[in-house]
Amino acid sequence: MEYRRLGKTELKVSVIGFGGIPVQRIDAASAEKVVNRAIELGINFFDTARGYTDSEEKLGAVLKKHRDKVIIATKSMARDKKGMAEEIDKSLMTMGMDYIDLYQLHNVKDKGTLEQVLGADGALAALKEAKEKGKIRHIGVTGHIKAILLEILKTGEIETVQFPFNPVEIDGAQDVFELAQKMDAGVIVMKPMAGGALTNANLTLRYILEHPVSVAIPGMDSLEQVEENATVGNEPRALTDQEREELARSVEKLGTSFCRRCEYCLPCQQGIDIPSVFLFDGYYTRYDLKDWAKGRYQAMEVKADSCLECGECEERCPYNLPIREMLKEAAERLGK
Ligand code: SF4
Ligand code: SF4
């Protein structure tokens, strides 16, 4: 496994890290196997969040047994000082640890949030206090909106920045890479597979690792995924011309109006699992898995045609997707 420096934290992280969203879908025993396999294969960076239901708990249960070998990152949406201080304590308790390597401000997405977290009574103040007390070792930020990430990086208070970057989400990334380098912040790439829209992990991860990133964190919930991803980290070779062309073809096929599965649109007041509808629709339209996609869609408890068109989800989508229209189209294809 190749290891890179995580900016001024001076931590040495495996270029392939473990994204902790999908472990929510598997039971604790399976999570233990998957996490242990990741450690065996040299993965030492694990990212989770307060908001990922039992992900902290499942990861913590395994990782605390390997505490000196692993680097644990978590994050909270708390915006004020008191709320963030409580969240840090909850993370420590849930994971059964006495310190966390990296604690991140989760999804700082607009000016208002930025001002709030940086304010005198904001979440950053709690992170700094926790760092002084030794509860956390480093402070980072995550988000999708590059302009906001640049703003917070400029303060110099942030040691790492985490954002989505992959062959279909390159807009503005170069600016973040450059400023992160200047400020000596570590770069953590979330959603390397564009939320499941890209399927060739080998080519996609190698493409990402050609850039100045410290670690890419694909979500993993099976031994096969861990092994496939770790293989890339063992030898992240530059893409050949032929591989680059192959990747470019899959990017072209995808276009720009696609769901990245960030889940910020949820909850839907009707209970529609919006990203899953779009995932199945993507398999139907892009990967020619029509029967499989229809079968999975038909098994959903609440289908896309339950949408009341309230529009709340569209206000929350950071990619400004026309969700209502897209749901109608998906229902047409998958619902019959
Ligand atoms: S517009 Fe439809 S999908 Fe979006 S939140 Fe409202 S009911 Fe749910
Ligand atoms: S519809 Fe938008 S907010 Fe919802 S998961 Fe997809 S990209 Fe994210």
Side-chain angles (χ1 to χ4, degrees):
M1 177 65 65
E2 183 179 310
Y3 297 85
R4 292 185 185 171
R5 180 175 168 271
L6 187 65
K8 58 186 152 192
T9 70
E10 297 295 351
L11 295 167
K12 291 285 183 300
V13 291
S14 49
V15 288
I16 300 296
F18 189 101
I21 294 179
V23 288
Q24 296 173 92
R25 290 198 289 255
I26 55 177
D27 62 27
S30 308
E32 184 176 358
K33 283 188 195 141
V34 168
V35 172
N36 275 328
R37 186 70 183 130
I39 296 170
E40 268 169 32
L41 294 173
I43 291 174
N44 74 347
F45 184 82
F46 293 80
D47 182 81
T48 179
R50 292 291 311 132
Y52 301 164
T53 63
D54 60 4
S55 171
E56 274 191 345
E57 192 182 329
K58 284 174 179 159
L59 292 185
V62 190
L63 295 176
K64 66 183 174 191
K65 298 178 199 157
H66 305 270
R67 193 63 192 91
D68 54 339
K69 278 202 281 187
V70 295
I71 295 162
I72 297 155
T74 190
K75 46 191 162 322
S76 164
M77 298 280 283
R79 302 308 190 206
D80 65 356
K81 190 176 172 188
K82 184 170 175 285
M84 183 57 95
E86 287 168 2
E87 288 281 80
I88 295 166
D89 287 341
K90 278 186 205 157
S91 292
L92 288 167
M93 204 169 66
T94 308
M95 293 200 272
M97 291 174 185
D98 53 12
Y99 72 92
I100 289 161
D101 301 275
L102 175 65
Y103 214 102
Q104 302 156 104
L105 295 158
H106 193 174
N107 192 27
V108 178
K109 60 179 180 180
D110 52 38
K111 274 255 182 228
T113 310
L114 184 68
E115 279 164 22
Q116 203 183 353
V117 297
L118 296 180
D121 198 30
L124 180 64
L127 290 170
K128 286 165 85 171
E129 266 187 30
K131 190 175 168 185
E132 273 165 31
K133 288 180 188 160
K135 292 183 178 184
I136 67 169
R137 299 222 162 139
H138 303 284
I139 299 172
V141 66
T142 80
H144 288 67
I145 311 299
K146 312 289 190 316
I148 298 294
L149 297 176
L150 293 175
E151 284 297 306
I152 197 161
L153 271 172
K154 279 181 204 155
T155 65
E157 303 269 18
I158 296 298
E159 294 163 272
T160 66
V161 58
Q162 178 178 153
F163 62 101
F165 171 67
N166 57 60
V168 286
E169 286 178 88
I170 54 176
D171 287 352
Q174 192 55 32
D175 294 340
V176 183
F177 290 145
E178 281 171 19
L179 188 59
Q181 269 184 325
K182 191 171 156 205
M183 304 304 291
D184 200 17
V187 172
I188 302 164
V189 167
M190 66 158 106
K191 307 209 167 53
M193 305 305 296
L198 292 164
T199 51
N200 189 326
N202 186 292
L203 297 190
T204 306
L205 292 171
R206 281 167 55 209
Y207 168 88
I208 291 166
L209 295 175
E210 288 178 340
H211 295 80
V213 309
S214 312
V215 50
I217 52 166
M220 306 186 213
D221 62 2
S222 73
L223 295 175
E224 294 73 28
Q225 282 170 346
V226 171
E227 282 160 13
E228 184 180 18
N229 295 334
T231 303
V232 178
N234 288 338
E235 198 194 353
R237 288 176 291 116
L239 296 173
T240 63
D241 290 346
Q242 203 182 347
E243 287 170 333
R244 212 174 290 285
E245 278 165 29
E246 190 183 327
L247 196 56
R249 278 196 297 277
S250 55
V251 168
E252 203 179 318
K253 210 167 165 187
L254 212 49
T256 51
S257 280
F258 68 94
C259 171
R260 279 79 164 172
R261 309 200 74 213
C262 63
E263 301 193 355
Y264 292 131
C265 52
L266 301 179
C268 155
Q269 57 160 298
Q270 288 291 93
I272 303 170
D273 180 349
I274 299 167
S276 291
V277 173
F278 295 153
L279 178 70
F280 302 146
D281 195 40
Y283 278 113
Y284 184 98
T285 54
R286 291 192 292 270
Y287 297 109
D288 208 20
L289 292 166
K290 292 189 168 49
D291 290 343
W292 182 87
K294 275 190 168 186
R296 295 294 300 268
Y297 176 75
Q298 292 298 336
M300 290 181 80
E301 226 166 275
V302 187
K303 307 217 172 31
D305 58 6
S306 308
C307 174
L308 297 175
E309 304 204 26
C310 69
E312 283 173 13
C313 53
E314 290 183 14
E315 281 169 30
R316 294 192 289 255
C317 175
Y319 301 97
N320 299 317
L321 295 183
I323 297 176
R324 289 171 285 189
E325 201 46 47
M326 287 169 68
L327 286 176
K328 275 189 215 161
E329 290 170 10
E332 280 286 310
R333 282 186 279 270
L334 302 170
K336 295 186 181 109

